[in-house]
Amino acid sequence: MTQFHPPRLLRNAHLQSILASTRLRKLRIGRRARLLQAASREVLVECRDGTKLLGEYAEQPKESRGLVVLIHGWEGSSKSTYLLSAGSTLYQAGYSVFRLNQRDHGPSHHLNEELFNSTRLSDVLGALEWIQKEFPHQRNYLAGFSLGGNFSLRVAANLKELPISLDKVVAVCPVLNPVNTMEALDTGWWVYEKYFVRKWKRSLKTKLQHYPELGYEQDLLTLRSLREMNQFFVPRFTQFKDAQTYLLAYAIIGDALSHLQAPCHIIAAEDDPICGAEDLPNLAKHPNLTVETTAHGGHCGYVSNFRLDSWIDQRLLDLFNQN
């Protein structure tokens, strides 16, 4: 296993976090990303409960080593730089790749009237069931980044009797305790909160174009922070009475992962400024769970050199090749 040891000038956690999603890095992976995108086709996922999601599927032209479903983080999409980078590496290595958009992410706001929230695990379970039925493979893998990593681990803990097969699940810098993550965004470097407020508001405005009857247009103008937005939207558009209850509902600390039904591997950076590693000891101990920590990496960064290559891409490939 190759350890993550970036050059000294690239060890800053904020630099790592920002570089991972920059346009410069997208240009750097340009050729590989173009190959993946050329091989991909947009797919409408139709879950049993009526939920509809969008994804992009790249099938191997010959024999495939397996199907990898990739899930982006909050306010990301199937076209996020880190997903294109990881997907390109996996596709070129012989895997079929499905990049799934969560509800109200990417160009999917028109598909479902109800708003996205992070407790909608049934969306992802339903999507995986449909994807594996539509595109059957002998080997099946799941990888998620940040909130996508949180979803991926909850999937592995809630398979129950569903016809979903997972040979390995990898979560990169997953949200462990959303209460602490929200606190980090609220009190940490202002750039992160501003970024997420801007992207969430843009998404909510797009939703209103398709469902103006949701009726929150004027309220959105007065909300300035993630805390204020959660306080407004949670009691009105989820089943939870307040933001604290909602955040705890998708935490994966405590016994949330005590029933894992697939081998799971967490990769977490000790210097992650958004999803801190301090909650790692609070995860359930389970033979299906392996936790790998690195001293550096920031939040889903893992930029390994000045060419802006990603260590995480090769690490995902190594982990899936083990099965």
Side-chain angles (χ1 to χ4, degrees):
M1 179 181 73
T2 304
Q3 300 292 328
F4 179 61
H5 293 300
R8 187 174 298 276
L9 292 178
L10 289 180
R11 291 180 184 176
N12 180 272
H14 299 308
L15 181 62
Q16 280 282 336
S17 303
I18 292 171
L19 279 177
S21 299
T22 58
R23 186 166 297 181
L24 182 62
R25 184 156 177 265
K26 184 171 284 190
L27 292 172
R28 172 69 184 86
I29 64 168
R31 182 176 178 275
R32 287 192 299 120
R34 285 194 296 272
L35 287 172
L36 175 70
Q37 290 176 302
S40 299
R41 60 184 175 92
E42 187 173 84
V43 174
L44 177 65
V45 177
E46 300 184 78
C47 304
R48 279 195 293 176
D49 66 359
T51 299
K52 296 180 180 180
L53 303 177
L54 284 180
E56 296 185 68
Y57 177 55
E59 186 172 20
Q60 286 294 325
K62 297 181 180 180
E63 185 175 354
S64 175
R65 300 179 68 173
L67 173 62
V68 181
V69 175
L70 298 175
I71 307 180
H72 57 78
W74 186 41
E75 292 305 330
S77 76
S78 61
K79 288 183 168 55
S80 292
T81 302
Y82 54 90
L83 235 58
L84 288 172
S85 183
S88 298
T89 296
L90 293 163
Y91 182 74
Q92 287 194 296
Y95 291 90
S96 299
V97 176
F98 195 105
R99 290 171 287 133
L100 178 67
N101 284 297
Q102 295 257 38
R103 177 192 297 243
D104 295 348
H105 289 72
S108 70
H109 294 76
H110 63 292
L111 293 176
N112 308 281
E113 181 174 0
E114 292 185 333
L115 294 172
F116 169 83
N117 73 66
S118 298
T119 69
R120 291 190 181 278
L121 182 61
S122 61
D123 283 10
V124 180
L125 289 169
L128 285 172
E129 181 181 350
W130 186 92
I131 291 166
Q132 291 188 1
K133 182 179 179 181
E134 193 73 14
F135 309 114
H137 285 69
Q138 286 189 336
R139 313 292 291 179
N140 291 276
Y141 306 94
L142 177 63
F145 294 75
S146 191
L147 183 59
N150 172 285
F151 268 95
S152 297
L153 292 167
R154 283 188 287 145
V155 163
N158 290 275
L159 291 177
K160 298 178 181 177
E161 301 301 319
L162 292 174
I164 297 173
S165 171
L166 290 174
D167 293 283
K168 179 160 283 188
V169 175
V170 180
V172 180
C173 299
V175 175
L176 304 173
N177 184 344
V179 173
N180 287 346
T181 295
M182 198 55 59
E183 181 68 18
L185 289 170
D186 190 42
T187 61
W189 192 27
W190 61 271
V191 170
Y192 297 125
E193 182 178 45
K194 184 177 180 180
Y195 171 82
F196 282 111
V197 167
R198 177 177 58 83
K199 295 202 77 173
W200 192 9
K201 281 193 171 186
R202 184 172 64 186
S203 175
L204 288 165
K205 289 175 183 177
T206 301
K207 189 76 171 184
L208 281 175
Q209 294 174 10
H210 301 286
Y211 300 101
E213 63 272 19
L214 290 171
Y216 53 73
E217 182 175 10
Q218 292 304 312
D219 299 284
L220 198 58
L221 297 174
T222 67
L223 303 173
R224 297 284 182 257
S225 68
L226 293 176
R227 187 180 298 276
E228 289 179 359
M229 293 177 75
N230 275 320
Q231 287 173 346
F232 175 81
F233 281 99
V234 165
R236 291 169 176 83
F237 294 94
T238 77
Q239 69 270 40
F240 302 99
K241 62 179 181 179
D242 54 45
Q244 182 84 356
T245 307
Y246 161 68
L247 293 171
L248 289 173
Y250 65 96
I252 56 174
I253 55 174
D255 63 356
L257 302 183
S258 60
H259 300 289
L260 292 176
Q261 296 166 54
C264 295
H265 191 101
I266 292 174
I267 302 173
E270 293 173 357
D271 65 351
D272 189 331
I274 295 176
C275 299
E278 69 273 6
D279 277 302
L280 288 172
N282 299 324
L283 298 176
K285 304 298 185 291
H286 195 284
N288 268 339
L289 181 61
T290 302
V291 178
E292 176 182 357
T293 59
T294 60
H296 306 287
H299 184 62
C300 297
Y302 292 107
V303 177
S304 59
N305 53 45
F306 293 106
R307 297 189 303 275
L308 304 185
D309 293 323
S310 171
W311 173 82
I312 210 70
D313 295 352
Q314 186 60 48
R315 187 70 186 114
L316 286 173
L317 183 58
D318 292 342
L319 288 167
F320 293 149
N321 283 346
Q322 291 173 7
N323 286 73

